[in-house]
Amino acid sequence: MFWMQNYRLYIFGIFYNGVVLLLEIWYNASKFREGIFYGWNFWTILVALSGSTDGLLVGFLMKFADNVAVIHADVLGTILNIIVSAKIFGLQITPLFSVVASAIMLSIYLFHSDEMSCFFSKSNEEEVNTSEDRPIYETVEVSDQVKLG
């Protein structure tokens, strides 16, 4: 099911981008006399391939990992991508980016650290059983007295 959803999504993307490309060629033919990949080099191809695999990797992670962990990994990957792009392409990293990246990394650290647990501690009634012998999914039986809907 997971791969079929991504397959449909990418087929729609290929169709939509193909239509847009054909319209661009139709209305701006002079831009495409050298070809659609004119000006590309090894690094731009590498960045395009890296970006194209991002959706599949995020989809794969969403199937097996926690949603918050996937979002954190995606944000850290974006920050790393900007830093690597700055080194490769000579882009200038602004002070605003440095502040935002630092705030993001600090928030991820605080989210996963035990130092903030005093602010978000659970009461004894809400404690979750984390023993390894507990099944991941438990069957819950609904009595006849409970009406659903």
Side-chain angles (χ1 to χ4, degrees):
M1 186 69 166
F2 156 74
W3 292 105
M4 186 56 75
Q5 291 171 344
N6 280 334
Y7 175 76
R8 289 179 185 149
L9 182 64
Y10 280 105
I11 291 297
F12 175 76
I14 290 170
F15 173 75
Y16 177 75
N17 288 315
V19 168
V20 170
L21 177 66
L22 290 175
L23 289 173
E24 280 288 323
I25 291 173
W26 178 264
Y27 288 110
N28 298 317
S30 62
K31 287 167 83 176
F32 295 100
R33 291 212 173 114
E34 301 290 330
I36 62 173
F37 297 111
Y38 178 73
W40 286 45
N41 60 18
F42 172 76
W43 294 111
T44 52
I45 292 171
L46 188 64
V47 169
L49 290 175
S50 172
S52 67
T53 58
D54 186 45
L56 287 174
L57 292 175
V58 168
F60 180 77
L61 286 175
M62 290 294 275
K63 181 172 174 122
F64 297 108
D66 181 20
N67 291 345
V68 174
V70 171
I71 291 169
H72 289 171
D74 192 38
V75 169
L76 290 175
T78 301
I79 292 171
L80 181 65
N81 189 11
I82 291 171
I83 292 170
V84 169
S85 295
K87 292 289 184 188
I88 292 173
F89 299 118
L91 302 174
Q92 182 179 0
I93 294 180
T94 64
L96 179 62
F97 171 79
S98 301
V99 170
V100 171
S102 300
I104 289 171
M105 289 186 277
L106 178 64
S107 66
I108 291 172
Y109 170 75
L110 290 176
F111 181 83
H112 291 286
S113 72
D114 291 334
E115 295 172 13
M116 296 299 289
S117 63
C118 61
F119 296 110
F120 305 108
S121 64
K122 295 181 178 182
S123 64
N124 289 338
E125 298 88 45
E126 296 176 336
E127 295 244 352
V128 179
N129 183 6
T130 58
S131 64
E132 292 184 21
D133 58 348
R134 193 189 85 189
I136 295 173
Y137 299 103
E138 295 180 9
T139 305
V140 178
E141 295 184 22
V142 179
S143 68
D144 295 331
Q145 297 174 355
V146 177
K147 294 183 180 182
L148 300 175

